Amino acid sequence: MVEHVQAGSEKISDYAAVGGGAAVASVVDLFYQSVLADPQLAGYFADTDLTRLKRHQVQLVSQVMGGPVSYEGADLAAAHRGRGITDEDFGLVVAHLIKALEAHSVPQEITDRVVQALGATQGDIVTAP
Ligand code: HEM
């Protein structure tokens, strides 16, 4: 089956539209490259297994883009609990994600949907005043 062929009025997923798993993996690689290069954020990831983190983030982003992939990582509130993450940190992380999506020429409306879906996790992730 050719992934990009549209049958009737059926729309392809955002996941397929951006180029599938390889494209999402590339976005997530660039995303963590810039998160880890950000002096306000790098310290949070000092003890993190980055391979596992990236694998889970690829799953999560793929899932919110309607891809045939399920998130298998920890509950997001549990994964971020006790880390003292602030609203400002959260905003910086989202900005790095937007940059990574834009660098891969992901269309604005798809970027908006991804940011809206992941942005909705803010209440689970931000625990610092
Ligand atoms: C859009 C916002 C965010 C999303 C969607 C997100 C998503 C995730 C995911 C999927 C994981 C993997 C969990 C696992 O492996 O089981 C993770 C882990 C982690 N996140 Fe986030 N995150 C976000 C924001 C942040 C922010 C703002 C920080 C801190 C500045 C942060 C710090 C971390 C750290 C340190 C880990 C690794 C935890 C560990 O070592 O097990 N995240 N995040």
Side-chain angles (χ1 to χ4, degrees), residues 72-125:
E72 291 173 347
D75 170 75
L76 286 185
H80 296 88
R81 190 171 297 139
R83 296 183 189 277
I85 297 169
T86 65
D87 281 317
E88 188 180 315
D89 296 328
F90 190 89
L92 290 173
V93 164
V94 169
H96 287 301
L97 178 64
I98 292 171
K99 263 195 314 179
L101 289 160
E102 286 176 348
H104 286 77
S105 305
V106 170
Q108 184 70 50
E109 59 175 75
I110 295 180
T111 295
D112 289 348
R113 281 196 283 273
V114 172
V115 167
Q116 198 181 11
L118 296 183
T121 65
Q122 184 158 1
D124 286 335
I125 289 174

Side-chain angles (χ1 to χ4, degrees), residues 48-80:
T48 295
D49 174 348
L50 293 176
T51 305
R52 181 175 180 276
L53 173 65
K54 283 185 192 175
R55 184 173 69 244
H56 286 153
Q57 192 68 267
V58 167
Q59 290 170 350
L60 185 62
V61 173
S62 298
Q63 184 177 298
V64 305
M65 289 182 133
V69 178
S70 299
Y71 177 63
E72 291 173 347
D75 170 75
L76 286 185
H80 296 88

Side-chain angles (χ1 to χ4, degrees), residues 3-4 14-24:
E3 208 175 35
H4 291 267
D14 288 342
Y15 177 85
V18 303
V24 173

